[in-house]
Amino acid sequence: MEERAELQRGLLQLDGSVFFLILLILSVLFSFWSLLIQRGQVAAALRGGDAQSLPSPLPFKRASSALVIGSLGFFFRLALGTLERAQTGEDPLALRSAQVNILASVLVLGAALLRFYDLLLNEYREQTGTLSQLQFDEIDDLPPV
C-alpha cells in the first residue's frame, strides 16, 4: 500500500515536470517572438521606416521571464524534496547529489531572477528615458541588486 502511494506521488511529480517543461518551451517561444519584433524594428530603422510602429518586445520578454521563474521555482521545490528524502536515507552519494542539485537550482533560479530584475530596469528606462546617476533617486523603491 505504501509503495502504491509512493508511485502515485512520483507520477504527480512527473506530471508536474512535464507541465513546467511545456511552460519552459512556451517561454522560449515568447523569447523568439520578442526577438522577431526587435529584428523588425531594426530592419524598419534601416529602411528609414518607423520602428516604433511595431509593438514593444518587452511584454513578451516579461511573460517569458515569468514562465521561466515559475518553472524553475517548481524544479527548485522538487530538488528540496529530493534533499529531504536523501537526508533521511543512508546513501551518502544520493545526499551529495541532492546537495549539488540544490546548489544548481539556487544558481539557475537566482540567475533568472537577476535577468528579470534587469528586464524591469530596462523597461523602466524605456518608459522614462535614460537612467542617469541623478535619476537613481527615483527608483530607490526597487530592490537592490
Side-chain angles (χ1 to χ4, degrees):
M1 187 66 128
E2 209 174 293
E3 183 179 329
R4 183 170 174 77
E6 185 65 30
L7 287 173
Q8 286 177 330
R9 277 193 297 276
L11 182 60
L12 283 175
Q13 285 182 346
L14 291 171
D15 288 344
S17 295
V18 167
F19 174 76
F20 283 101
L21 283 175
I22 289 170
L23 289 183
L24 285 173
I25 292 169
L26 183 60
S27 77
V28 170
L29 293 175
F30 279 144
S31 292
F32 180 72
W33 186 253
S34 71
L35 183 65
L36 289 177
I37 291 171
Q38 287 178 296
R39 185 188 181 286
Q41 288 173 335
V42 170
L46 285 172
R47 289 189 309 268
D50 184 20
Q52 298 303 322
S53 65
L54 290 170
S56 171
L58 287 174
F60 296 102
K61 288 181 176 183
R62 202 178 323 115
S64 175
S65 288
L67 290 173
V68 166
I69 290 168
S71 297
L72 292 176
F74 171 80
F75 290 114
F76 175 70
R77 191 176 58 82
L78 282 182
L80 282 175
T82 301
L83 179 62
E84 286 177 12
R85 284 189 302 282
Q87 287 173 332
T88 61
E90 308 220 354
D91 184 356
L93 189 57
L95 178 60
R96 176 55 69 191
S97 176
Q99 291 168 339
V100 168
N101 279 298
I102 284 290
L103 178 60
S105 292
V106 165
L107 292 174
V108 171
L109 183 56
L113 289 168
L114 285 173
R115 292 196 60 157
F116 187 65
Y117 176 78
D118 184 56
L119 177 66
L120 294 177
L121 281 181
N122 285 323
E123 188 171 1
Y124 180 83
R125 183 184 66 207
E126 184 178 282
Q127 292 171 355
T128 63
T130 59
L131 288 175
S132 69
Q133 188 63 32
L134 297 175
Q135 290 174 317
F136 277 111
D137 303 1
E138 300 170 12
I139 59 170
D140 280 341
D141 56 332
L142 291 176
V145 178

